[in-house]
Amino acid sequence: SLRKHSFLISERIRMDKKDVIKITLELIKEKKLEKTSIGEIVKRLDSSPGNLYYHFKSKNDIYKEVLDYSLEEITKYLDRVKTVRNKKNYLFALTRMLIKTFEEREEILFFLIGIKGSYYLNKELDSPNFLISFKNALLDEKVYMGNEKLITLRLNMFLGSIYEVLYVNKLVNKRNLNEKEIEEIYMASWGNDLEESYKIYEQNDLISDLSREN
């Protein structure tokens, strides 16, 4: 009995939460969110339910860990994008990287689309932390005039459109977007706004220069 107890403790210690997260992501991609069960997760882990419940109280807890992991992974990819002085180029690079990340990490894309609005999570996925790079760029004085509420709305619309486009193209039709399609998404989301914003500031700078000359 003591030996068995010691074995169970060592088995629980050996279980890596990241293994649970990765297997859960795989199963959700294969079977969809609502059809992924604790039993299937345990079977794929080649473990026991008691071992799993030692680390997670419920399936909700597993999904919360998967969510945190997914958002952290996307943030790592976006952090590779170098900040540049030209906000237009920077936002395009961020948009392209986000799309390429979802295409490369298809299991994360599938999970985030499935979990949004799901009863498994208490919190909504509005303005997830991986969009902070976009928000910081848009909060620049030349973009949206520092209107954070408007930026949050546009970020949510932007992410929703990314999910919709990639669901059809990547998850259903099994194809990646080409460069022209990525540029069209960028222009539809940010391009026109940025162009208008720069024009206004250029006009204001010109008016200020003329005023100083007079």
Side-chain angles (χ1 to χ4, degrees):
S1 176
L2 181 60
R3 183 180 297 176
K4 183 179 179 181
H5 181 68
S6 299
F7 171 77
L8 289 173
I9 291 176
S10 62
E11 184 186 5
R12 288 166 181 169
I13 292 172
R14 283 200 306 269
M15 176 178 277
D16 188 341
K17 281 190 174 184
K18 282 194 175 180
D19 289 337
V20 178
I21 289 168
K22 290 175 181 178
I23 283 172
T24 302
L25 282 170
E26 289 173 7
L27 284 168
I28 290 171
K29 181 182 171 184
E30 293 172 16
K31 301 176 178 291
K32 295 188 177 180
L33 187 75
E34 61 274 10
K35 294 182 179 179
T36 299
S37 67
I38 291 289
E40 287 169 327
I41 295 172
V42 168
K43 185 177 179 181
R44 189 71 61 92
L45 281 167
D46 192 22
S47 185
S48 65
N51 191 11
L52 186 66
Y53 283 120
Y54 178 81
H55 295 278
F56 303 95
K57 293 179 181 178
S58 65
K59 189 156 68 170
N60 287 29
D61 283 348
I62 295 175
Y63 287 155
K64 287 174 184 175
E65 290 281 349
V66 174
L67 176 62
D68 289 341
Y69 167 82
S70 299
L71 300 184
E72 286 173 8
E73 286 295 292
I74 297 169
T75 301
K76 288 178 185 177
Y77 280 86
L78 292 178
D79 283 345
R80 298 176 187 174
V81 178
K82 302 294 184 182
T83 304
V84 293
R85 292 184 66 183
N86 189 319
K87 295 298 179 184
K88 179 180 177 181
N89 293 342
Y90 181 48
L91 279 168
F92 175 75
L94 284 172
T95 301
R96 186 179 184 279
M97 179 61 80
L98 181 61
I99 290 170
K100 292 298 181 184
T101 300
F102 280 138
E103 289 177 340
E104 182 179 331
R105 303 297 301 275
E106 189 177 334
E107 76 283 5
I108 288 178
L109 172 64
F110 209 108
F111 169 73
L112 290 178
I113 290 175
I115 205 70
K116 186 164 177 59
S118 169
Y119 62 86
Y120 287 111
L121 290 178
N122 295 324
K123 59 181 179 181
E124 287 292 322
L125 285 179
D126 292 336
S127 296
N129 59 358
F130 63 79
L131 290 180
I132 193 68
S133 299
F134 289 88
K135 186 173 183 179
N136 287 340
L138 293 168
L139 279 172
D140 180 86
E141 61 180 359
K142 294 184 178 180
V143 185
Y144 291 131
M145 305 297 288
N147 190 331
E148 291 198 40
K149 288 185 178 180
L150 179 57
I151 292 172
T152 300
L153 175 62
R154 292 302 296 271
L155 284 172
N156 290 333
M157 292 170 62
F158 165 68
L159 188 57
S161 67
I162 294 287
Y163 285 157
E164 186 174 348
V165 170
L166 291 183
Y167 178 83
V168 173
N169 286 278
K170 183 63 181 178
L171 301 183
V172 176
N173 295 328
K174 304 300 181 184
R175 62 175 289 269
N176 292 339
L177 299 180
N178 59 44
E179 292 299 317
K180 185 177 180 181
E181 289 170 326
I182 293 173
E183 188 172 349
E184 287 175 355
I185 291 173
Y186 161 77
M187 288 300 295
S189 301
W190 317 116
N192 294 330
D193 290 339
L194 287 173
E195 291 296 336
E196 288 300 317
S197 192
Y198 287 133
K199 284 179 184 177
I200 291 171
Y201 271 79
E202 285 173 1
Q203 290 172 358
N204 289 341
D205 289 341
L206 179 60
I207 292 171
S208 297
D209 290 342
L210 290 173
S211 298
R212 284 194 292 270
E213 289 176 5
N214 295 330

